[in-house]
């Protein structure tokens, strides 16, 4: 069941069937005859996805991406629309309560549909790009089980495919509002079902009476971006039949350095909404001073604020919520007068556009958040800054825009019209498409309103201006090709889209306009991708046909031709670029040489454009960056998400600051696209030949590079020198002179004019020695590998100080930024930590690594290590020969790189291991599968024994990896099994929390009759029984122990003791211990720790002393348990004695021991000793951090605890719920509420919202800081509440004087089945005291003992005395005290005296004061209270005598402190305080205020301005 404001995705459990195969109506499908399983005609459906995706998944048709399989799939033009009209069916659970409402949401379907829910029909109208949200509250089944069927129809005009193909087929699809690429293009084959299906997200969402609809965020800027306003508007729909009184909240948070969340704004507005009404509400604008701005990739950080809106309805709590990341940015665009091209500005800075054209991620619309993340991050990794969503594809999904925001990609949105399908093409298409103009505009409006996207730069529709639906912050142009994009006058040319001579993009005549929205080139992937996507006949490389004019024509095989292969030659213009390296021999050779060309092509294309930045060009967009299928042209990475070398050529060329060689002029140039001048830099240029010699070396120093400029440095002299080598390498490095850190590195391989690269062919046989040092960090299935690759063939020249390639850190976000943390200064003298403490902690917490590994590639040759590339491979449990073993996607900081002799390069790699892949374990399994004699025994007993060992080892590996599916499969395939096999299965499931399955295998083991359980079986099962509900299982296992003769086994006895104590059965655990014939250290430790776990601390210490006097010596765990007992008893002396023993034994530095020592000293009030241990600790973990944090908090070091917590954040230490709970506990009335809100934001971000300890801490924090409303919100949102939760909320109401609400909550607590505690009654009595409910209070006090058996403490009696006194019943209070079962202590007397002070009763007050003086003679409380009582009665002589007596005995009054929070900082002050740095200003303002008061007629008497400071 979804919670209020959250959606539940319906993305699994769907079935699908062709409509003509289903003889039932939608009503029958969702009432009496629902499909129950994927049996014909029903099959498992891909939702979100298309009909074709479902057919492919079920192998009904072949994979249209593989070879020529698409040709075997029936096209909708031949089959008719009914063939691809499909039913989709699913079930979902939802049971509403009270005033809840349910929406069924379809983010998009193609093209129209009828929907049936529990027999009720709804219609989803036409249009591929419109949202559908249906309120279905009234048609849900009362039992919560709901049946949903959707009949989806294809587009109305699917069209047909002409024999010659063409751009958009016969263009009929353009008559509908749908994707236009689906009829095929020159880069994709036709999509047979035209993307029919439920292609986007389906969800249900629960709201209360009021629903939030399409909030919209806009920012406005003033004073050079220092003053910014956020404007938020939303629609609100009241679905109830009564006026909804709403609290509408908007919250804005941001993430600071080190993952610290800062609450920027939290505003609440009251809104009344009439019944069944829908209103639009605009929040008061929110002001931000110097906010962090959002910048495009390469220009700065992508700062994003988290904006959340919630609506609470009076009497119903939270009704709906909404959240969105939002970046402050101002985007402008105009025609550049210098170039004629369109110029873009972000936050006032001109942005030189280097971007790409995007179609969509997958043409079967199998779209996922993870794939979008990879796609967009790839674009950011290439240093691109804009994506143009081409008009023939999608308007894209929210996940696409989310990651564009995160990674800094501007988006140009084309909507859904292309020129080829709207007035152009062969045959000429309909110029007025689509047929339904209103539907197009409705979809455009819906798309614009549904997305609050920071990155969207502009829109174009080639149709009609939709700007009436926009917010004024985005540019509208009718067409990005022909309307003011290229030259500002309507003129344009697109392309070229083919292979180029590398020097051509640098020439003036390459492209005549200022901005090119489409220019493309080749894009063959690596050989592994060809093999993975084509049968063997597709592995044939093109024929190289020599033409009479000396050029080469490439003739591809039919499969390559079908996949739109773009040749690497252009006869008459460009010689075959692959042949420059020699005629390729096979697929591997062809694809490797193609990567060399890919790198050069795209680097030259972008460097040529950048060379004319602002002088000729304002930007360029590559056609395309990727393909939505297995195409063979125009891509930086293939559909399997493996990068081509062109990816890294682009990454190199598009650097924000870049050194390059102009291939037309041979001048070295530096491009600075940033807004900052780069000074004191130098360029190192070195030429290397194929023998490893360096015939040319030059440094250009003392350079300054102005912002937004291209600087020509010097002409390269080498090729013009005597005897240049026919093939040579050029390495350019731009670096800071001060520290030799590299800003830009660029490596070229070049040939002399008229030459080629054929000498590189024999160079491939060279063995260049390499040293690769790597370190792997593993978190779950995520891997990060840091490598250093060294070319060992020559020692570096000592004059050359850049050989280690220490790259300067870019000032923007990057997944590869692993720079060291800065030292954090300490602010507390008596708790001082050494420099670097938090760096050490951070390193400690990041130790999930395989350690440092060194690999040597031996070689005797010297020279450049050329065109090195990495790939990551794994193995599956079932691995077929020739199967693709690559793990994809992988993010590389660089690849296809080269190293000159002595040079070292750092490479960082990150990836996730997909399910079913293992990097080592299953590789070993695979090797056994290839050698089956190791797995399958023959008659020889020895071979059988060896085989079972191998099988069991593999079982153990899968068990420990937690891959239970593979574990089960392997177990089922085992030809023989023994007890170890069964034990491994039992252990594997129990260890992974699958108790039913684990116990089931144990039962099967006993029934098998072949294998019998042993002591390992028993201990495995007993170790899993760690909760009260397993008590009967432990008893059963205990019986099996004795009935099968394992009673004397010491390991079994130890397990029984542990299990009994964990299940709370202390007597049984003690009995097992007493009856054991033999005891070892584990036995004693189990017993001692069990007693500690059950809070029998004294008994545990007695047993510990008994153990020490016997023959068995304690171990670390024994001492650990004993320290925990000392903590529980606050036994400092005993704890110090154990600490001394640990020193003698030399085990005091073990991590768990140090944590326990810190806890013991903290609990005993010796926080300084605890801190000393923390300071000296070599290894620390999260437990240590939490212990010291709680120690500071619980011993009066609240400010230090908060500072300590903040430093943990800033150091990148992972924060867990225990740490948050600990720091929330230090908040009090004088604590900054804004800090508490930041911590609340952090808890939301870290998904700690379901942790009861964190929520309880938040309730207390907000109530102590004065925000009772927020406390109540936290409490109302808790899905599970324990007694502490209820106590915290009751205490909050009591603290704020709302006694009636506190008592009401107490009744709700009882009805919820939660038993009250002594803390509950303390809060209730406090509440009764403040609202005068004396009878109720006395009734509660009586029920404590009579009903709940709770013995009242002095605090409870003090509350009762206070309650009676406040009600004026002082004599009754005195009488009550005299009848107490225990002697009244300080708290009780203070309560009586305090109420006497309130009531002005000097008689009883004097009696109470005298008693208090006897109890605490040094306390000022009785004297001050009596002085106040005398003052209130006008007894000035008695007051004077009291003050005099107070001075005579040397008792001084504590100074009262007040505080106020301004600018997120708490300021404390006392009477006549002049310590504040702005004291004089404040006193001056008070003087002015007093003058104004006097003018208004105020008579101050004897009060002076100075005395007003209180």
């Amino acid at each position: 069941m979804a919670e209020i404001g959250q959606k539940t995705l319906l993305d699994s459990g769907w079935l699908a069937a062709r409509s003509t195969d289903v003889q039932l109506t939608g009503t029958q499908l969702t009432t009496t005859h629902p499909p129950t399983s994927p049996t014909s005609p029903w099959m498992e459906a891909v939702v979100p996805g298309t009909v074709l995706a479902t057919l492919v998944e079920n192998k009904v048709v072949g994979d249209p991406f593989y070879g020529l399989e698409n040709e075997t799939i029936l096209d909708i033009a031949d089959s008719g629309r009914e063939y691809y009209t499909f039913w989709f069916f699913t079930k979902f659970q939802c049971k509403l309560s009270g005033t809840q409402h349910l929406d069924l949401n379809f983010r998009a379907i193609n093209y129209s549909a009828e929907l049936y829910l529990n027999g009720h029909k709804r219609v989803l109208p036409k249009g591929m790009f419109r949202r559908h949200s249906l309120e279905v509250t009234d048609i849900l089944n009362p039992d919560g089980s709901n049946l949903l069927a959707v009949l989806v129809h294809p587009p109305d005009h699917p069209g047909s495919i002409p024999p010659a193909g063409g751009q958009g087929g016969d263009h009929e699809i353009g008559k509908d509002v749908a994707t236009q690429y689906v009829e095929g293009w020159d880069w994709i084959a036709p999509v047979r079902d035209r993307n029919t299906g439920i292609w986007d997200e389906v969800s249900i969402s629960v709201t209360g009476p009021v629903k939030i609809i399409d909030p919209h965020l806009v920012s406005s800027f003033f004073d050079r971006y220092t003053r910014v306003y956020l404007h938020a508007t939303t629609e609100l729909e009241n679905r109830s039949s009564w006026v909804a009184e709403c609290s509408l909240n908007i919250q804005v948070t941001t993430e600071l350095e080190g993952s610290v969340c800062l609450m920027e704004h939290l505003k609440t507005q009251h809104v009344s909404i009439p019944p069944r009404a829908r209103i639009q509400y605009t929040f008061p604008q929110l002001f931000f001073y110097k906010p962090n701005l959002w910048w495009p990739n390469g220009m700065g950080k992508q700062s994003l604020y988290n904006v959340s809106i919630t609506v609470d309805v009076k009497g119903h709590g939270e009704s709906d919520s909404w959240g969105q990341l939002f970046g402050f940015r101002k985007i402008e665009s105009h025609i550049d007068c210098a170039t004629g091209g369109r110029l873009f500005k972000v936050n006032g800075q001109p942005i030189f556009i280097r971007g790409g054209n995007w179609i969509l991620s997958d043409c079967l619309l199998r779209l996922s958040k993870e794939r979008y993340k990879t796609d967009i991050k790839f674009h950011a990794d290439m240093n691109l800054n804009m994506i143009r969503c081409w008009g023939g594809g999608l308007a894209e999904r929210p996940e696409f825009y989310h990651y564009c925001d995160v990674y800094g990609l501007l988006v140009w949105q084309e909507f859904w019209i292309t020129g080829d399908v709207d007035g152009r093409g062969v045959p000429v298409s309909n110029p007025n498409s689509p047929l339904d103009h209103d539907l197009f505009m409705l979809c455009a409006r819906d798309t614009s309103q549904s997305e609050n996207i920071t990155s969207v730069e502009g829109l174009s529709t080639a149709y009609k201006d939709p700007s009436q639906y926009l917010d004024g912050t985005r540019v509208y142009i009718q067409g990005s090709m022909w309307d003011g994009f290229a030259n500002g006058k309507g003129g344009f040319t697109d392309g070229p889209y083919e292979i180029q001579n590398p020097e051509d993009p640098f020439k003036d005549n390459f492209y005549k306009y200022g901005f090119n929205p489409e220019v493309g080139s080749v894009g063959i992937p690596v050989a592994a991708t060809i093999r993975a996507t084509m049968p063997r006949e597709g592995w044939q490389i093109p024929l190289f046909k020599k033409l009479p004019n000396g050029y080469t024509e490439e003739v591809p095989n039919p499969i390559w031709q079908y996949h739109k292969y773009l040749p690497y030659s252009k006869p008459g213009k460009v010689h075959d670029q692959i042949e420059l390296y020699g005629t390729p021999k096979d697929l591997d050779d062809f694809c490797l040489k193609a990567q060399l060309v890919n790198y050069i092509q795209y680097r030259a294309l972008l460097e040529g454009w950048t060379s004319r930045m602002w002088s000729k060009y304002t930007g360029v967009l590559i056609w395309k960056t990727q393909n939505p299928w297995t195409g063979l042209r125009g891509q930086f990475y293939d559909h399997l998400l493996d990068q081509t070398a062109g990816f890294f050529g682009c990454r190199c060329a598009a650097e924000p600051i870049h050194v390059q060689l102009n291939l037309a002029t041979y001048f070295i140039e530096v491009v600075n696209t940033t807004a900052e001048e780069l000074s004191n830099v130098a360029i190192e240029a070195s030429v290397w030949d194929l023998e490893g010699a360096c015939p040319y070396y030059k440094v250009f120093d003392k350079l300054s590079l102005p912002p937004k400029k291209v600087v020509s440095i010097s002409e390269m002299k080498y090729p013009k020198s005597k005897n240049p080598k026919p093939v040579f390498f050029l390495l350019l490095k731009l670096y800071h002179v001060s520290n030799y850190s590299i800003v830009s590195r660029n490596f070229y391989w070049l040939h002399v004019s008229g030459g080629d690269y054929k000498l590189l062919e024999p160079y491939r046989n060279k063995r260049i020695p390499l040293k690769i040092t790597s370190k792997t960090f593993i978190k779950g299935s995520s891997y990060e590998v840091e490598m250093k690759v060294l070319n060992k063939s020559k020692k570096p020249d000592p004059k050359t100080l850049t050989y280690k390639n220490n790259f300067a850190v870019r000032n923007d976000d990057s997944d590869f930024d692993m720079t060291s943390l800065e030292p954090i200064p300490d602010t507390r003298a008596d708790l001082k930590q050494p420099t670097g403490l938090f760096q050490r902690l951070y390193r400690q917490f990041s130790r999930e690594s395989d350690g440092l590994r060194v690999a040597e590639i031996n070689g005797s040759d010297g020279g450049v290590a050329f065109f090195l590339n990495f790939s990551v491979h794994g193995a599956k449990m079932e691995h077929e020969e020739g199967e693709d073993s690559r793990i994809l996607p992988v993010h590389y900081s660089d690849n296809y790189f080269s190293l000159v002799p002595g040079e070292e390069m750092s490479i960082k790699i990150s990836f996730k291991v997909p399910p079913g892949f293992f990097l080592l374990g299953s590789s070993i399994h695979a090797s056994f599968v290839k050698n089956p004699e190791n797995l399958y025994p023959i008659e020889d007993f020895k071979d059988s024994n060896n085989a079972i060992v191998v099988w069991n080892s593999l079982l153990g590996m899968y068990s420990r990896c937690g891959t239970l599916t593979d574990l089960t499969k392997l177990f089922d395939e085992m030809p023989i099994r023994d007890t170890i096999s069964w034990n491994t299965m039992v252990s594997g499931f129990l260890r992974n929390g699958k108790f039913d399955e684990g116990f089931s295998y144990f039962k099967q083991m006993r029934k098998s009759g072949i294998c019998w359980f042993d002591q390992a079986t028993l201990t495995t099962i007993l170790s899993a029984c760690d909760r009260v509900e397993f008590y009967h299982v432990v008893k059963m296992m205990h019986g099996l122990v004795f009935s099968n003769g394992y009673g004397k086994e010491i390991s079994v006895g130890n397990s029984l003791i542990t299990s009994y104590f964990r299940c709370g059965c202390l007597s049984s655990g003690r009995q097992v211990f007493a009856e054991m014939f033999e005891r070892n250290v584990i036995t004693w430790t189990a017993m001692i720790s069990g007693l500690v776990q059950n809070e029998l601390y004294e008994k545990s210490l007695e047993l510990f002393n008994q153990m020490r006097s016997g023959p068995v010596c304690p171990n670390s765990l024994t001492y650990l348990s004993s320290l925990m007992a000392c903590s529980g008893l606050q036994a400092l002396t005993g704890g110090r004695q154990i600490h001394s023993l640990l020193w003698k034994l030399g085990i005091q530095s073990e991590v768990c021991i140090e944590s326990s020592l810190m806890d013991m000293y903290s609990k005993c009030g010796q926080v300084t000793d605890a801190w000393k241990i923390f300071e000296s600790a070599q290894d620390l973990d999260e437990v240590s951090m939490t212990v010291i944090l709680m120690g500071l908090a619980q011993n009066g070091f609240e400010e230090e605890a908060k500072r300590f917590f903040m430093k943990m954040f800033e150091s990148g230490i992972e924060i867990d719920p225990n740490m948050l709970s600990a720091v929330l506990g230090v908040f009090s009335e004088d604590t900054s509420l804004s800090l508490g809100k930041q911590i609340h934001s952090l808890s939301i971000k870290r998904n700690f919202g379901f942790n009861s300890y964190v929520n309880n801490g938040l309730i207390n924090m907000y109530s102590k800081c004065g925000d009772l409303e927020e406390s109540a919100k936290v409490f109302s949102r808790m899905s599970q509440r324990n007694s502490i939760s209820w106590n915290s909320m009751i205490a909050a109401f009591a603290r704020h004087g709302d006694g009636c609400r506190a008592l009401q909550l107490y009744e709700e607590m009882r009805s919820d089945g939660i038993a009250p505690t002594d803390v509950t009654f303390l809060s209730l009595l406090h509440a009764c005291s403040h609202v005068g409910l004396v009878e109720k209070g006395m009734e509660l006090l009586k029920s404590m003992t009579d009903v709940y058996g709770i013995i009242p403490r002095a605090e409870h009696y003090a509350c009762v005395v206070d309650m009676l006194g406040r009600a004026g019943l002082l004599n009754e209070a005195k009488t009550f005290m005299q009848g107490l079962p225990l002697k009244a202590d300080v708290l009780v007397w203070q309560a009586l005296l305090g109420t006497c002070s309130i009531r002005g009763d000097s008689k009883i007050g004097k009696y109470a004061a005298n008693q208090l003086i006897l109890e605490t003679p040094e306390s000022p409380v009785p004297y001050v209270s009596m002085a106040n009582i005398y003052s209130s009665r006008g007894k000035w002589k008695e007051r004077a005598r009291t003050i005099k007596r107070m001075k005579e005995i040397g008792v001084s009054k504590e100074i009262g402190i007040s505080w106020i929070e301004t600018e997120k900082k708490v300021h404390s002050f006392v009477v006549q305080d002049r310590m504040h740095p702005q004291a004089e200003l404040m006193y001056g303002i008070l003087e002015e205020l007093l003058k104004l008061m006097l003018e208004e007629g105020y008579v101050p008497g004897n009060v002076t301005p100075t005395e007003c400071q209180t």
Side-chain angles (χ1 to χ4, degrees), residues 880-900:
E880 298 177 6
E881 185 177 358
E883 186 178 357
D884 190 3
S885 64
R886 289 173 297 172
I887 289 179
L888 298 171
V890 180
H891 295 279
Y892 303 92
S893 63
D894 204 356
N895 215 351
Y896 296 98
F897 61 96
S898 304
L899 296 174
V900 302

Side-chain angles (χ1 to χ4, degrees), residues 1245-1283:
K1245 180 181 177 183
R1246 297 293 173 87
N1247 294 318
F1248 295 159
F1250 297 104
N1251 187 283
S1252 59
Y1253 295 106
V1254 173
N1255 283 323
N1256 295 340
L1258 288 169
I1259 293 169
N1260 283 318
M1261 180 274 293
Y1262 277 118
S1263 68
K1264 288 179 179 177
C1265 293
D1267 196 337
L1268 179 62
E1269 183 179 357
E1270 199 62 36
S1271 285
K1273 285 181 182 177
V1274 174
F1275 181 78
S1276 67
R1277 291 168 186 166
M1278 291 179 69
S1279 56
Q1280 291 184 331
R1281 300 165 182 151
N1282 55 24
S1283 61

Side-chain angles (χ1 to χ4, degrees), residues 49 83 340 489 528 655 689 726 763 796 854 886 901 1128 1198 1227 1284 1384 1449:
Y83 185 80
K489 301 176 182 178
E655 292 175 307
D689 61 25
Y763 191 79
V854 178
R886 289 173 297 172
E1198 290 87 358
F1227 278 77
I1284 300 174
I1449 62 175

Side-chain angles (χ1 to χ4, degrees), residues 216-221 228-233 286 326 328-329 452 470-474:
H216 195 67
L217 308 174
V218 178
S219 52
S220 56
F221 300 83
V228 180
Y229 292 91
L230 177 64
H231 312 271
T233 300
L286 302 179
F326 182 79
F328 291 111
R329 89 291 179 268
N452 287 280
L470 304 182
D471 54 29
T473 68
R474 294 169 174 86

Side-chain angles (χ1 to χ4, degrees), residues 1420-1478:
V1421 173
Y1423 300 100
V1424 174
S1425 297
M1426 285 308 299
N1428 290 335
I1429 292 173
Y1430 288 139
S1431 296
S1432 67
R1433 293 292 183 179
K1435 298 180 179 181
W1436 303 111
K1437 290 183 179 180
E1438 287 84 347
R1439 179 185 185 277
R1441 280 199 295 268
T1442 303
I1443 297 299
K1444 181 180 179 183
R1445 176 61 180 159
M1446 185 176 172
K1447 291 180 179 179
E1448 287 174 350
I1449 62 175
V1451 175
S1452 58
K1453 178 187 174 184
E1454 294 179 0
I1455 299 175
I1457 300 177
S1458 301
W1459 57 87
I1460 186 171
E1461 182 179 353
T1462 60
E1463 301 279 333
K1464 299 167 187 169
K1465 186 176 180 181
V1466 174
H1467 299 266
S1468 300
F1469 54 92
V1470 298
V1471 174
Q1472 299 186 354
D1473 194 338
R1474 292 188 178 273
M1475 298 298 293
H1476 195 279
Q1478 293 179 294

Side-chain angles (χ1 to χ4, degrees), residues 744-1047:
S744 173
R745 178 186 182 275
N746 204 347
F747 182 90
Y748 295 84
W749 52 101
L750 302 163
H751 60 73
V752 295
S753 179
D756 55 39
Y757 295 115
K758 290 178 181 177
L759 287 175
L760 289 175
E761 183 69 18
Y763 191 79
R764 292 167 60 180
N765 298 320
K766 277 200 169 191
R767 298 287 295 174
I768 307 297
L770 297 175
K771 179 181 179 181
I772 303 174
T773 307
S774 65
K775 190 171 186 180
T776 304
F777 298 82
I778 307 170
K779 289 187 177 180
S781 61
S782 298
Y783 284 66
E784 289 185 0
V785 185
E786 293 180 343
M787 295 187 296
K788 290 186 181 296
V789 186
L790 171 66
N791 181 346
K792 294 171 54 182
S793 62
K794 180 187 174 183
K795 296 287 185 183
D797 187 334
K799 297 178 184 177
T800 306
L801 297 177
T802 64
Y803 65 92
K804 283 197 173 182
N805 286 323
N806 173 32
F807 281 87
V809 178
R810 267 172 53 177
N811 186 29
D812 57 5
D813 290 327
S814 170
D815 282 2
F816 298 116
D817 184 8
M818 299 181 183
T819 52
S820 61
L821 299 165
E822 291 295 323
I824 301 168
D826 180 61
T827 58
R828 179 169 166 82
D830 58 337
L831 291 178
K832 184 178 179 183
Q833 71 257 15
T835 303
L837 172 65
F838 281 87
Q839 293 93 308
R840 179 161 56 84
L841 294 177
Y842 182 78
R843 290 194 297 271
Q844 180 67 28
F845 291 160
S846 302
R847 279 189 183 171
E848 294 185 47
S849 69
D850 292 338
L852 202 62
R853 295 181 178 179
V854 178
E856 300 270 356
I857 299 177
N858 296 321
S860 57
D861 297 320
V864 172
F866 179 60
F867 216 56
L868 305 173
N869 80 287
F870 288 98
S871 59
V872 181
H873 294 256
K876 289 184 178 178
M877 185 175 171
E878 294 181 349
H879 186 81
E880 298 177 6
E881 185 177 358
E883 186 178 357
D884 190 3
S885 64
R886 289 173 297 172
I887 289 179
L888 298 171
V890 180
H891 295 279
Y892 303 92
S893 63
D894 204 356
N895 215 351
Y896 296 98
F897 61 96
S898 304
L899 296 174
V900 302
E903 193 179 22
E904 184 178 68
M905 178 79 80
S906 294
I907 303 293
K908 296 184 177 73
I909 301 175
S910 63
F911 58 92
K912 282 189 174 182
V913 178
F917 274 87
F918 296 89
L919 295 185
L920 179 59
S922 66
S923 299
I924 297 171
H925 187 182
S927 70
F928 282 130
V929 172
K930 292 177 181 178
N931 299 280
E933 65 274 9
N934 293 316
L935 289 175
Y936 296 96
I938 54 178
E939 294 181 3
D940 186 273
F941 175 78
K942 183 178 179 181
D943 288 331
S944 298
N945 230 20
N946 290 339
I948 195 67
V949 169
V950 172
W951 281 104
N952 288 339
S953 298
L954 289 170
L955 279 177
M957 181 270 294
Y958 285 118
S959 172
R960 285 186 290 274
C961 290
T963 54
L964 301 182
T965 302
D966 291 334
L967 175 68
T968 305
K969 189 172 184 180
L970 182 66
F971 183 77
D972 292 341
E973 292 175 356
M974 289 179 69
I976 52 174
R977 298 169 184 150
D978 62 5
T979 301
I980 297 174
S981 314
W982 287 98
N983 286 350
T984 304
M985 295 301 293
V986 173
S987 172
F989 280 96
L990 293 180
R991 184 188 294 116
N992 287 280
K994 305 290 185 180
F995 299 107
D996 291 341
E997 293 88 341
F999 292 138
S1000 174
Y1001 273 104
F1002 176 63
K1003 293 175 184 177
Q1004 293 177 47
M1005 177 186 186
R1006 296 186 67 196
K1007 289 179 181 178
S1008 69
I1010 301 172
C1011 302
W1012 196 245
F1013 64 83
D1014 59 9
Q1015 64 188 60
T1017 320
L1018 296 169
T1019 56
T1020 296
I1021 295 174
L1022 285 169
S1023 65
C1025 298
D1026 57 357
R1027 297 196 296 271
V1028 175
E1029 53 264 37
F1030 289 124
Y1031 169 70
H1032 294 294
V1033 178
V1034 178
K1035 277 290 186 186
M1036 181 189 73
M1037 299 308 296
H1038 197 170
L1040 289 174
V1041 167
F1042 278 95
S1043 62
N1044 290 274
Y1046 289 107

